[in-house]
């Protein structure tokens, strides 16, 4: 690839919070499904903390009786606007990586012996009867249901 493309791709990877530039999953030996669940839950944890901050700010503005009514109404509108902008920014930052993780159990690699394994974790067979695979598949289906709602 041309050097300018490689630099732009590297910049885009850093701006989208792609977790490929450091590998925390390599620092501790843990099963693939635990690493997968951790990385899938990161956007929900961030969104939960932003939502909690919004609710606390909203409650403090709502319960403050010393504020003028028009000022309170404007403050609540600004608070809601900031919350929606933060949610949109989180969506833009995490969506690509999150969808890639949710797609992992659906990408199976066929082996020569007739079995198929997950492409990302080739020690996990793509078989619903396999406990490890069924946990990942259940989590991915739940994630897709959350995204589609």
């Amino acid at each position: 690839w041309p050097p300018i493309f490689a630099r732009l791709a590297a910049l885009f990877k850093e701006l989208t919070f792609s977790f490929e530039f450091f590998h925390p999953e390599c620092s501790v030996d843990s099963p693939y499904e635990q690493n997968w669940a951790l990385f899938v839950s990161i956007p929900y944890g961030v969104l939960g903390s932003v939502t909690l901050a919004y609710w606390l700010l909203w409650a403090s503005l709502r319960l403050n009786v010393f504020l003028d009514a028009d000022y309170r109404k404007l403050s609540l509108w600004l608070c809601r606007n900031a919350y929606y902008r933060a949610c949109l920014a989180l969506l833009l930052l995490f969506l690509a990586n999150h969808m890639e993780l949710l797609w992992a159990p659906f990408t199976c690699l066929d082996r020569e012996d007739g079995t198929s394994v997950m492409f990302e974790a080739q020690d996990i067979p793509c078989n619903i009867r396999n406990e490890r695979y069924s946990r990942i598949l259940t989590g991915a289906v739940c994630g897709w249901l959350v995204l589609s709602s």
Side-chain angles (χ1 to χ4, degrees):
W1 294 101
I4 187 72
F5 179 79
R7 278 188 249 137
L8 285 174
L11 177 67
F12 182 71
K13 183 185 277 189
E14 290 180 22
L15 291 177
T16 58
F17 286 136
S18 176
F19 297 106
E20 295 176 15
F21 57 91
F22 70 99
H23 296 281
E25 70 271 12
C26 295
S27 61
V28 176
D29 189 29
S30 61
Y32 173 78
E33 59 268 19
Q34 286 181 352
N35 290 334
W36 182 85
L38 173 72
F39 281 108
V40 165
S41 65
I42 286 174
Y44 300 109
V46 173
L47 182 63
S49 60
V50 168
T51 301
L52 178 64
Y54 166 71
W55 286 342
L56 291 173
L57 182 60
W58 182 86
S60 70
L61 288 171
R62 203 72 167 146
L63 297 174
N64 193 344
V65 294
F66 300 110
L67 292 179
D68 180 45
D70 290 335
Y71 182 76
R72 180 183 302 134
K73 184 177 178 182
L74 178 65
S75 297
L76 289 169
W77 181 85
L78 288 172
C79 179
R80 186 173 52 249
N81 188 4
Y83 173 69
Y84 291 147
R85 285 176 181 248
C87 289
L88 180 61
L90 290 174
L91 180 70
L92 292 174
L93 289 174
F94 286 118
L95 186 64
N97 190 36
H98 188 64
M99 289 180 75
E100 183 179 323
L101 286 168
L102 291 178
W103 193 250
F106 300 104
T107 54
C108 294
L109 182 68
D110 293 328
R111 289 190 172 167
E112 292 177 3
D113 61 356
T115 62
S116 63
V117 293
M118 284 184 60
F119 183 76
E120 295 287 326
Q122 296 189 4
D123 61 328
I124 301 176
C126 287
N127 186 345
I128 195 71
R129 292 184 186 114
N130 184 295
E131 183 180 342
R132 294 173 70 196
Y133 180 74
S134 65
R135 274 186 274 166
I136 295 171
L137 184 64
T138 303
V141 168
C142 290
W144 283 111
L145 289 174
V146 167
L147 283 178
S148 66
S149 61

